[in-house]
Amino acid sequence: MNLNPFEADNSVSCQLTSEIPEVCRTEDCCLGIDEAGRGPVLGPMVYGICFCPVSKKENLKDLKVADSKTLTEAERENLFQKLDEAKSYVGWALQVLSPNTISTSMLQRTKYNLNALSHDTAIGLVQYALDSGVQLKEVYVDTVGPAEKYEEKLSKRFPGIEVTVRPKADSLFPVVSAASICAKVARDRVVKGWNFAEDLGEVDADYGSGYPNDPKTKAWLLKYLDPVFGYPQFVRFSWSTAQTLMDSKAVTVHWDDDEEDGEKAAQRQNNRSMLSYFGASAGGNDQNLTHQTHRFFTDRRLKSLNTL
Amino acid sequence: MAAKKKRTPNVENDSWVVVAADSVIDTQKHDSDPAFVRLRNPSTDAASLYMLGSGDVQLYEVKAFEEGFHSWFVGQTVQRDGRLIFVTPMDPLYLILPYLIKSGKEGKFQPMDQVIMDEEFPACSRLLSCTRSLDSLHHVAEEKKVGSLKFHRYSQERTMNWLKKKVERTIIALKKRNISVGEGVKSTTYIRVKSEADNHEEDYLRYAHGLISEYISEDLSKALLSHLGLPELTSPKETEPPSKKRKLSDKPVEAEEDYTKFNSADFARKPPKKMTAAQKTLAKVDKTGMKPMSSFFSTKVKAEKK
């Protein structure tokens, strides 16, 4: 598995693919979709597809790709090797979503949540297979969000393909387990070899499981939290664990487009109360007011200075 | 417990981000640096920051663009002071005028170096070194020559004409830059399809007068206002259109029609509810793919009101 395209720039999302086996272009194929690294606060989320002719389903079963979740990293590497050896009839493709892509998608102004991102990534991979000439007839997916809705959405998007969305699909369908192996192997390798763009010197690799509730991971986050710039790009800023830590340990930030209570905003900007425009004025023409700057300047937030 | 983060202490700022006219940094001719100076602001009578270019040849005004919560990234450092400072050429006559006016009260012709004196702001004498200063004094003062020496006396008449010219030039610039001068609040990015019937000449005059007033005393501003032929605005009433009065009648006041006829049976006025913090947070989140809470409950059929 050549990860160079992703490692060249690990701040963006990257598609990695195997060769398309010729038989997949001529025979009816089935395809499985699974992901790895959805829950952790560190590293990328990887979406994987694995496809082979329907006639080869049993061969895939024989490779013993089932139950990838219970496997160790070494066992998964082994299984991926086997899949790679079966390249005459097995193809795969991966979408590596960098932690930066996840953060920016979830935090952008028109919110793009993880479920939507996941759906779109899966759809993108299936489309890639179709565009490459794979004769897809069956697609099997693990659920992301409500199963029936997702199945409906995918069926609509890919008419003529039988879509099956099931929870725990990776233990039910060998193509899905295979996809799961590819995704997990990719994620493990990317995380292990992560190139920190930030100038951090020797980075402590002891970040535990990478899951937000792992105390080792939390400690690592705290260690690498910069009070102004937050975390290295290895971290998903959009995760609530990451945000809570920033709220309490990093510099306080006021974001202008956070919806603020009208009163609070007015207080903060030192606005005049509406009431001051009504009622009897204290004396003639604002003689007690200090010099009023012309609105040409105030409109443009320009002020005179009496000192630097 | 994690070790406390070490933060660089806040030091007093010693660098600023400035946008300045090219002439400010042109030090070739005089071999001295430009400098910030504190001088008397003619409008506020208090200290304001100005800049004198190399050799005191040109005067500049200093304005800071300031909004909350800004910092600058300069190279590899963070400069806490996020202001953007503008240094733009300014006519030194504005700063010289207050001294002329003060000495003009005595009615005598005087040499300028005696006129421009200020205990609080000794740097003011440098204003006379500005290229424009001595050459343009006749715009605001009467001149008398005795031998090789020149004497000056403030002239209100000349000053008014000079200021009027300033106002006119300002109006040209405002029009050229399409600056909105109307009394109504208008977004600067709002593009009007119809041509400008809204910015009346008087609006331009008042706006330009207001802008020039930033550089002269209040007394001079008032005098200029009347010199321009503009009445003073003392209360908002004067700019409002005449109120439309209905014909008075002795009949008792009655409703013209039944205003309740559009009410429907279930039209009940409820005060707009304020959203709780939790509701506000939920409103911001992208809810695609999420089941609404209500899908977990079934609604009772509402009884029809008649």
Side-chain angles (χ1 to χ4, degrees):
Chain A
M1 188 188 290
N2 179 20
L3 294 169
N4 286 343
F6 179 70
E7 281 161 354
D9 182 358
N10 61 16
S11 71
V12 296
S13 158
C14 179
Q15 194 181 69
L16 305 168
T17 59
S18 74
E19 292 275 326
I20 308 280
E22 266 312 308
V23 288
C24 293
R25 291 202 172 107
T26 52
E27 288 186 39
D28 284 354
C29 288
C30 58
L31 179 150
I33 311 177
D34 204 357
E35 49 78 22
R38 186 190 172 73
V41 64
L42 302 176
M45 176 166 73
V46 181
Y47 253 80
I49 57 171
C50 200
F51 50 89
C52 70
V54 175
S55 57
K56 297 282 191 184
K57 262 190 200 173
E58 283 306 309
N59 303 60
L60 208 56
K61 237 183 180 168
D62 290 341
L63 290 178
K64 300 238 174 59
V65 288
D67 288 337
S68 65
K69 277 204 174 67
T70 56
L71 301 168
T72 63
E73 196 178 314
E75 284 170 336
R76 284 199 293 266
E77 281 282 348
N78 218 348
L79 281 171
F80 181 72
Q81 265 305 104
K82 286 201 187 157
L83 283 171
D84 193 43
E85 282 160 16
K87 56 166 72 108
S88 60
Y89 62 94
V90 175
W92 52 263
L94 303 166
Q95 189 71 32
V96 183
L97 297 163
S98 67
N100 190 45
T101 305
I102 298 171
S103 305
T104 52
S105 301
M106 291 173 74
L107 293 172
Q108 67 187 33
R109 197 173 259 260
T110 37
K111 303 278 181 268
Y112 185 33
N113 73 14
L114 200 62
N115 280 6
L117 181 59
S118 304
H119 287 195
D120 289 346
T121 306
I123 289 171
L125 285 168
V126 174
Q127 190 60 48
Y128 156 76
L130 288 170
D131 291 344
S132 308
V134 178
Q135 299 298 317
L136 274 189
K137 287 293 170 287
E138 303 164 11
V139 166
Y140 300 91
V141 201
D142 208 319
T143 35
V144 171
E148 314 90 57
K149 270 199 173 155
Y150 194 22
E151 194 172 293
E152 212 184 295
K153 180 175 178 178
L154 290 175
S155 304
K156 260 197 186 150
R157 178 69 176 73
F158 300 109
I161 297 181
E162 189 194 315
V163 178
T164 310
V165 179
R166 291 278 178 284
K168 307 245 188 291
D170 64 336
S171 43
L172 297 170
F173 310 109
V175 258
V176 180
S177 325
S180 167
I181 302 271
C182 296
K184 284 182 169 54
V185 166
R187 174 170 152 98
D188 288 343
R189 289 195 195 173
V190 166
V191 167
K192 247 193 177 152
W194 187 266
N195 181 20
F196 284 86
E198 302 80 12
D199 199 1
L200 298 169
E202 272 294 313
V203 179
D204 184 359
D206 193 16
Y207 44 70
S209 63
Y211 278 85
N213 50 14
D214 181 342
K216 261 192 180 171
T217 304
K218 271 206 179 121
W220 189 93
L221 283 176
L222 196 55
K223 183 171 178 180
Y224 286 99
L225 172 61
D226 180 286
V228 173
F229 296 101
Y231 307 99
Q233 268 189 358
F234 188 51
V235 177
R236 299 178 196 177
F237 280 64
S238 47
W239 251 233
S240 55
T241 319
Q243 295 192 323
T244 321
L245 214 54
M246 278 200 289
D247 286 345
S248 59
K249 300 280 191 248
V251 173
T252 322
V253 180
H254 166 78
W255 300 101
D256 255 350
D257 53 312
D258 271 354
E259 276 145 41
E260 211 174 11
D261 185 276
E263 256 177 54
K264 268 201 218 150
Q267 234 172 35
R268 187 173 54 79
Q269 290 167 25
N270 271 322
N271 284 357
R272 279 177 73 176
S273 149
M274 275 298 287
L275 293 175
S276 70
Y277 289 99
F278 301 95
S281 50
N285 296 320
D286 290 337
Q287 272 156 16
N288 42 355
L289 268 186
T290 49
H291 166 81
Q292 292 267 29
T293 310
H294 191 256
R295 67 180 232 240
F296 175 83
F297 294 110
T298 52
D299 282 356
R300 290 159 181 77
R301 306 285 187 271
L302 291 171
K303 301 183 177 145
S304 278
L305 302 172
N306 71 353
T307 184
L308 269 180
Chain B
M1 286 298 279
K4 263 215 173 127
K5 287 261 152 196
K6 263 186 276 175
R7 293 182 54 183
T8 44
N10 284 338
V11 291
E12 210 178 288
N13 196 39
D14 64 350
S15 70
W16 295 265
V17 180
V18 177
V19 174
D22 276 339
S23 56
V24 171
I25 51 171
D26 177 18
T27 55
Q28 283 174 346
K29 286 182 196 160
H30 298 270
D31 197 29
S32 62
D33 288 331
F36 285 105
V37 283
R38 257 204 211 90
L39 294 168
R40 197 176 286 278
N41 183 317
S43 173
T44 65
D45 204 36
S48 271
L49 211 60
Y50 296 90
M51 177 172 263
L52 280 169
S54 167
D56 293 350
V57 152
Q58 169 73 280
L59 173 72
Y60 303 87
E61 69 170 313
V62 176
K63 286 272 193 271
F65 170 79
E66 184 170 4
E67 282 185 325
F69 312 111
H70 283 214
S71 292
W72 287 102
F73 290 166
V74 182
Q76 289 297 308
T77 56
V78 177
Q79 180 185 298
R80 203 165 201 231
D81 182 343
R83 292 177 300 178
L84 179 58
I85 301 188
F86 288 93
V87 174
T88 49
M90 176 178 169
D91 190 337
L93 230 47
Y94 284 115
L95 296 188
I96 290 174
L97 257 181
Y99 300 107
L100 260 177
I101 293 173
K102 190 170 175 194
S103 77
K105 293 202 165 89
E106 299 165 35
K108 291 186 280 184
F109 278 82
Q110 289 183 29
M112 283 311 285
D113 48 18
Q114 271 182 37
V115 171
I116 315 283
M117 297 220 288
D118 194 329
E119 264 176 30
E120 239 187 292
F121 304 102
C124 66
S125 52
R126 292 163 69 178
L127 288 168
L128 290 171
S129 309
C130 296
T131 317
R132 296 177 65 171
S133 296
L134 298 173
D135 292 340
S136 16
L137 281 173
H138 64 274
H139 289 303
V140 297
E142 291 168 60
E143 279 187 356
K144 240 192 207 166
K145 234 181 168 176
V146 178
S148 61
L149 297 170
K150 275 195 180 159
F151 296 83
H152 292 87
R153 180 173 70 183
Y154 173 68
S155 161
Q156 177 90 335
E157 195 189 328
R158 293 192 186 198
T159 303
M160 282 298 118
N161 287 331
W162 177 72
L163 286 173
K164 184 170 181 186
K165 282 202 201 126
K166 288 282 194 190
V167 168
E168 284 161 5
R169 288 175 76 182
T170 305
I171 293 177
I172 293 172
L174 289 170
K175 285 182 176 168
K176 200 166 163 193
R177 299 286 178 96
N178 254 317
I179 299 201
S180 165
V181 299
E183 282 303 306
V185 176
K186 252 179 277 191
S187 162
T188 46
T189 52
Y190 182 68
I191 299 172
R192 298 196 90 91
V193 178
K194 290 190 287 183
S195 62
E196 291 299 310
D198 321 56
N199 278 338
H200 305 293
E201 271 315 299
E202 185 176 318
D203 288 343
Y204 276 108
L205 214 49
R206 277 195 194 276
Y207 195 96
H209 167 265
L211 202 43
I212 297 292
S213 298
E214 283 284 311
Y215 301 90
I216 51 179
S217 69
E218 200 176 334
D219 290 338
L220 219 52
S221 169
K222 284 202 179 122
L224 179 60
L225 195 64
S226 83
H227 184 72
L228 292 170
L230 290 170
E232 247 186 73
L233 292 175
T234 48
S235 75
K237 251 196 231 167
E238 291 180 23
T239 47
E240 268 176 27
S243 56
K244 296 192 175 99
K245 284 212 163 93
R246 300 189 81 201
K247 194 170 71 180
L248 290 172
S249 91
D250 289 329
K251 286 189 276 176
V253 178
E254 269 179 6
E256 289 195 346
E257 48 179 289
D258 176 13
Y259 298 115
T260 64
K261 67 186 177 201
F262 294 114
N263 288 4
S264 56
D266 44 17
F267 175 71
R269 288 220 75 206
K270 282 187 249 173
K273 287 203 187 118
K274 252 187 154 180
M275 287 205 282
T276 64
Q279 284 171 317
K280 279 186 202 163
T281 319
L282 185 62
K284 281 193 267 185
V285 169
D286 173 14
K287 296 187 275 289
T288 48
M290 287 190 211
K291 275 177 155 180
M293 280 298 287
S294 55
S295 66
F296 295 98
F297 306 95
S298 60
T299 52
K300 284 189 192 154
V301 173
K302 279 199 183 131
E304 283 284 304
K305 278 192 195 164
K306 268 287 175 208

